């Protein structure tokens, strides 16, 4: 299957700082990338969908100014959590999909964010 | 509205067979995905069904009935490492995945 990487896998930061998470598709071109958040023992929550070269589409209730998404190339998308607060602590997972909308989404390993 | 239903938790015995059911209601339909998620890890892809019938892949099989809005994941010869959450996701007419809350499968020796 396709390989998607995420970096960093763990990050601990102070409240008020910004954190950038990278998502890369290693062996395919990801036309579309997705960012999810998952709180402990809860289901995946889609935050936003990004297509290469265009602005991300955010789900209802997700602040676009707080969660900045950039999908500048077919293999890289970044999520920046600006002015992070303790309630932003969560498991952030990206997924990537190739050119066809029906293609499978492949997930990165996730990034655990802890904001102190 | 769009909705996915699957049991919250199931328990099975090592070596046995378990069937995890999923019913869905979506605006249009472009296929049904099953993912496995171990605790603390990201989901990994298991199967995709878009036509009615059974797709077998080793110890795992997935079934779809479009007319009934129903799918199941069948796991045979259960191993302890199969203890995980199993996520059902249906793709709607906009190619958006609608996710179920997941079924936590507990395997007992």
């Amino acid at each position: 299957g396709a390989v998607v990487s995420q970096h960093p896998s763990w990050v601990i930061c102070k409240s008020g700082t910004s954190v950038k998470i990278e998502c890369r598709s290693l062996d395919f071109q990801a036309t579309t990338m997705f960012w999810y958040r998952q709180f402990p023992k809860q289901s995946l929550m889609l935050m936003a969908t990004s297509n290469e070269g265009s602005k991300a589409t955010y789900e209802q209730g997700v602040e676009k100014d707080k969660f900045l998404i950039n999908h500048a190339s077919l293999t890289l998308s970044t999520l920046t959590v600006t002015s992070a607060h303790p309630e932003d602590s969560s498991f952030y997972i990206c997924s990537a999909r190739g050119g066809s909308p029906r293609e499978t989404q492949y997930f990165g390993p996730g990034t655990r964010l802890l904001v102190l | 509205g769009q909705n996915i239903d699957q049991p919250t938790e199931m328990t099975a015995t090592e070596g046995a067979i378990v069937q995890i059911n999923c019913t869905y209601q979506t605006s249009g339909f472009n296929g049904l995905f099953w993912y496995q998620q171990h605790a603390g890890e990201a989901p990994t892809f298991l199967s995709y069904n878009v036509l009615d019938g059974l797709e077998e892949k080793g110890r795992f099989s997935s079934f779809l009935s479009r007319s009934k809005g129903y799918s199941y994941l069948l796991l045979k010869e259960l191993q302890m490492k199969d203890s995980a959450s199993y996520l059902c996701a249906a793709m709607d007419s906009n190619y958006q995945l609608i996710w179920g809350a997941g079924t936590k499968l507990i395997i007992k020796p």
Side-chain angles (χ1 to χ4, degrees):
Chain A
V3 180
V4 177
S5 71
Q6 255 182 269
H7 178 80
S9 53
W10 268 99
V11 59
I12 302 173
C13 68
K14 292 182 180 179
S15 185
T17 59
S18 293
V19 175
K20 180 186 280 190
I21 303 170
E22 290 188 352
C23 177
R24 292 181 185 274
S25 57
L26 298 185
D27 54 0
F28 69 103
Q29 293 187 323
T31 306
T32 306
M33 286 185 168
F34 304 85
W35 286 95
Y36 292 86
R37 182 167 53 181
Q38 188 175 37
F39 293 104
K41 297 186 179 181
Q42 293 189 23
S43 58
L44 288 173
M45 289 173 46
L46 179 66
M47 298 175 68
T49 302
S50 73
N51 291 297
E52 185 264 338
S54 60
K55 289 185 179 180
T57 303
Y58 290 81
E59 295 300 301
Q60 197 170 9
V62 178
E63 300 173 58
K64 61 180 67 176
D65 294 331
K66 182 171 182 62
F67 298 99
L68 302 179
I69 291 171
N70 184 282
H71 190 167
S73 78
L74 285 171
T75 59
L76 173 65
S77 176
T78 60
L79 167 69
T80 301
V81 183
T82 61
S83 186
H85 291 287
E87 58 266 28
D88 298 322
S89 298
S90 187
F91 189 36
Y92 291 86
I93 316 171
C94 74
S95 70
R97 185 183 72 195
S100 168
R102 285 196 182 194
E103 288 188 34
T104 299
Q105 285 185 34
Y106 291 96
F107 285 85
T111 297
R112 294 206 174 279
L113 171 63
L114 177 62
V115 185
L116 302 176
Chain B
Q2 307 201 97
N3 191 51
I4 305 286
D5 281 318
Q6 54 181 131
T8 304
E9 187 174 296
M10 298 182 71
T11 302
T13 305
E14 189 177 16
I17 298 173
V18 71
Q19 177 174 312
I20 303 174
N21 296 323
C22 171
T23 57
Y24 62 90
Q25 289 178 301
T26 55
S27 301
F29 181 73
N30 277 298
L32 193 292
F33 293 81
W34 283 97
Y35 285 82
Q36 179 191 60
Q37 186 177 25
H38 284 101
E41 299 180 11
T44 55
F45 169 74
L46 289 178
S47 67
Y48 170 64
N49 294 65
V50 68
L51 300 176
D52 286 352
L54 186 68
E55 296 266 352
E56 297 187 66
K57 195 186 289 186
R59 291 189 300 115
F60 292 8
S61 302
S62 55
F63 171 84
L64 176 67
S65 169
R66 295 182 62 158
S67 62
K68 295 181 180 178
Y70 167 69
S71 173
Y72 68 71
L73 181 69
L74 190 72
L75 292 76
K76 302 177 185 175
E77 300 169 19
L78 286 169
Q79 301 175 10
M80 297 303 291
K81 66 178 182 180
D82 298 329
S83 292
S85 286
Y86 291 85
L87 310 177
C88 171
M91 183 174 276
D92 68 12
S93 58
N94 294 319
Y95 303 102
Q96 187 92 314
L97 279 182
I98 311 302
W99 292 89
T103 298
K104 182 179 180 180
L105 178 63
I106 300 168
I107 310 295
K108 295 186 175 179

